[in-house]
């Protein structure tokens, strides 16, 4: 499929269902915000549908938009479905995956994750892009709709860029990323307010939880350049854990001199969620896919394991030579 087909599809369909992955991060939320603004500019009706509730710090970005969390009882009338910032139906969780797979609507993917599943009619997948919002910007360029980028859309696009690039520091950032930012600034977007909304919204308990994790829960393997950090359900409860409180915590490990791989393990009611990060010549997505039923990007991946925290840590430690 070529880009003209995408433009035709956008213009032909009037009821846009805009979806993103479970555990929406800044890029997921930024992407749906930008795409909803595009729907508005094209006089389309739209609905943003999340698999689960976004973290509190991301909700202000959705103010005044039509969004909801997936409900198995609800009907989602749509003639076109957008899959933003995910590469497979499994990324939205079982219940919502059913809707995505069985929808008879035209489907469009806009994403930057490797190895996309061919579940959409049009797949705009650019794994070089630093964020899905960068893919969206490139797509607007290719269909000639960059004039629709207003301040509201720019905020979403910028949110995705900042959060998926560690504030513009990862290798995925390019000259083109900065050219895109220049255009976003021209809309009147106040970039410092976006940084503040993302990074200056700590609660005291969140800071204490993060301090505790660094002070008490770091396990280092200096010969391997790997650091692990874990938090049990009890520890999370002790610091009044709220969704989003551990976001980015795994990156602390990579900030230690001599460490190239960090793993954060978080115990949940269902099992243990693992977050992998790396840099340089070390990659984590294959490891996450092979051993922990997950995947992701070369330098940022996730996975999941059933079992209690200690047993998953033991399992992981046995495998460290493969990481
Ligand atoms: P996080 O550690 O922030 O949860 O996830 C890091 C990256 O890994 C995300 O960008 C996401 O794309 C990917 N990821 C996280 N969990 C999974 C998973 O279960 N499956 C796959 N395929 N990718 C994941
Ligand atoms: Mn992303």
């Amino acid at each position: 499929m070529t880009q003209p087909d995408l433009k035709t599809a956008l213009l032909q369909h009037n009821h846009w269902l805009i979806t993103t992955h479970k555990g929406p991060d800044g890029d997921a939320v930024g992407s749906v915000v930008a795409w909803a603004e595009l729907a508005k500019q094209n006089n389309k009706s739209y609905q943003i549908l999340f698999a689960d509730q976004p973290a509190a710090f991301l909700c202000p970005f959705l103010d005044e938009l039509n969004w909801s969390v997936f409900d198995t009882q609800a009907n989602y009338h749509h003639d076109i479905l957008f899959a933003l910032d995910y590469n497979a139906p499994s990324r939205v969780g079982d219940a919502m995956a059913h809707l995505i797979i069985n929808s008879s609507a035209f489907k469009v993917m806009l994403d930057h994750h490797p190895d996309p599943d061919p579940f959409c009619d049009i797949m705009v997948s650019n794994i070089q892009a630093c964020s899905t919002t960068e893919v969206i910007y490139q797509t607007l360029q290719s269909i000639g709709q960059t004039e629709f980028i207003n301040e509201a859309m720019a905020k979403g696009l910028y949110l995705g860029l900042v959060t998926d690039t560690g504030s513009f520091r990862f290798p995925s950032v390019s000259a083109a990323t900065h050219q895109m930012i220049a255009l976003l600034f021209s809309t009147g977007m106040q970039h410092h307010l976006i940084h503040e909304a993302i990074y200056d919204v700590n609660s005291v308990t969140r800071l204490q939880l993060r301090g505790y994790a660094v002070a008490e829960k770091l396990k280092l393997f200096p010969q391997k350049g790997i650091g692990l950090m874990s938090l049990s359900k009890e520890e999370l409860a002790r610091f009044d854990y709220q969704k989003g409180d551990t976001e980015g915590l795994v990156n602390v490990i990579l900030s230690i001199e001599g460490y190239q791989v960090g793993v954060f393990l978080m115990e949940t009611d269902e099992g243990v969620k693992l977050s992998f990060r790396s840099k340089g010549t070390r990659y984590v997505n294959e490891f996450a896919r092979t051993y922990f039923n997950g995947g992701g990007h070369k330098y940022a991946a996730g996975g999941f394991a059933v079992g209690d925290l200690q047993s998953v840590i033991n399992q992981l430690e046995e495998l460290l030579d493969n990481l």
Side-chain angles (χ1 to χ4, degrees):
M1 291 268 185
T2 57
Q3 293 309 317
D5 295 319
L6 174 59
K7 185 165 188 181
T8 307
L10 296 187
L11 298 178
Q12 272 176 349
H13 297 92
N14 292 319
H15 305 286
W16 295 17
L17 187 65
I18 303 172
T19 68
T20 190
H21 60 81
K22 199 172 168 188
D25 57 6
D27 192 27
V29 170
S31 296
V32 301
V33 167
W35 211 252
E37 293 294 341
L38 185 71
K40 284 161 61 176
Q41 304 265 352
N42 280 287
N43 296 313
K44 307 295 183 184
S45 81
Y46 74 90
Q47 174 158 28
I48 296 168
L49 186 60
F50 290 108
D52 54 353
Q53 177 74 21
F57 81 97
L58 291 170
C59 290
F61 289 92
L62 294 157
D63 275 356
E64 293 167 39
L65 292 175
N66 179 25
W67 67 276
S68 58
V69 175
F70 179 67
D71 173 357
T72 48
Q73 304 300 314
N75 266 319
Y76 298 101
H77 173 60
H78 62 286
D79 56 10
I80 189 164
L81 186 150
F82 296 97
L84 306 185
D85 198 37
Y86 66 98
N87 60 358
S90 59
R91 297 285 292 122
V92 301
D94 290 345
M96 196 167 128
H98 197 257
L99 167 79
I100 307 281
I101 292 163
N102 293 316
S103 165
S104 57
F106 194 83
K107 292 174 199 163
V108 178
M109 171 196 290
L110 293 150
D111 184 43
H112 68 138
H113 292 93
D115 306 320
D117 260 19
F119 71 100
C120 291
D121 299 290
I122 294 181
M123 314 237 302
V124 184
S125 167
N126 177 4
I127 69 166
Q128 313 298 337
C130 67
S131 68
T132 293
T133 62
E134 188 174 52
V135 176
I136 290 176
Y137 177 73
Q138 292 163 349
T139 303
L140 295 177
Q141 284 181 313
S142 68
I143 65 172
Q145 293 212 345
T146 46
E147 80 272 17
F148 283 159
I149 303 178
N150 57 13
E151 189 182 346
M153 200 189 289
K155 275 191 200 166
L157 294 172
Y158 194 78
L159 170 63
L161 287 179
V162 177
T163 52
D164 259 26
T165 63
S167 302
F168 310 112
R169 54 168 291 185
F170 297 155
S172 54
V173 174
S174 65
T177 312
H178 286 285
Q179 279 154 0
M180 169 179 168
I181 296 165
L183 186 132
L184 302 183
F185 273 53
S186 74
T187 66
M189 178 195 79
Q190 305 265 290
H191 70 284
H192 60 281
L193 297 182
I194 299 174
H195 288 266
E196 282 173 26
I198 299 166
Y199 297 113
D200 298 348
V201 289
N202 282 320
S203 63
V204 173
T205 49
R206 178 195 288 180
L207 279 183
Q208 289 171 334
L209 173 68
R210 296 169 82 99
Y212 168 78
V214 174
E216 308 283 342
K217 300 302 304 283
L218 199 53
K219 186 160 181 188
L220 299 175
F221 298 82
Q223 258 71 48
K224 301 182 199 295
I226 300 175
L228 313 183
M229 193 188 273
S230 63
L231 288 169
S232 68
K233 285 196 287 184
E234 183 280 317
E235 289 164 329
L236 292 163
R238 205 191 309 163
F239 292 93
D240 188 28
Y241 169 78
Q242 305 292 316
K243 211 166 184 167
D245 281 355
T246 59
E247 189 87 38
L249 184 55
V250 61
N251 292 305
V252 168
I253 298 165
L254 296 187
S255 75
I256 309 170
E257 192 175 7
Y259 286 78
Q260 304 85 34
V261 180
V263 188
F264 173 66
L265 302 94
M266 184 167 96
E267 193 177 37
T268 72
D269 286 339
E270 293 78 36
V272 178
K273 162 100 182 77
L274 296 98
S275 280
F276 301 90
R277 296 292 185 274
S278 64
K279 62 182 178 185
T281 54
R282 300 183 68 172
Y283 306 139
V284 284
N285 54 349
E286 277 302 326
F287 183 86
R289 188 182 358 249
T290 308
Y291 300 108
F292 290 99
N293 199 30
H297 310 276
K298 283 189 306 191
Y299 295 122
F304 194 81
V306 285
D308 67 285
L309 184 59
Q310 195 51 54
S311 71
V312 177
I313 293 172
N314 295 343
Q315 197 186 329
L316 175 65
E317 288 186 9
E318 295 279 310
L319 294 166
L320 287 187
D321 285 335
N322 301 301
L323 193 54

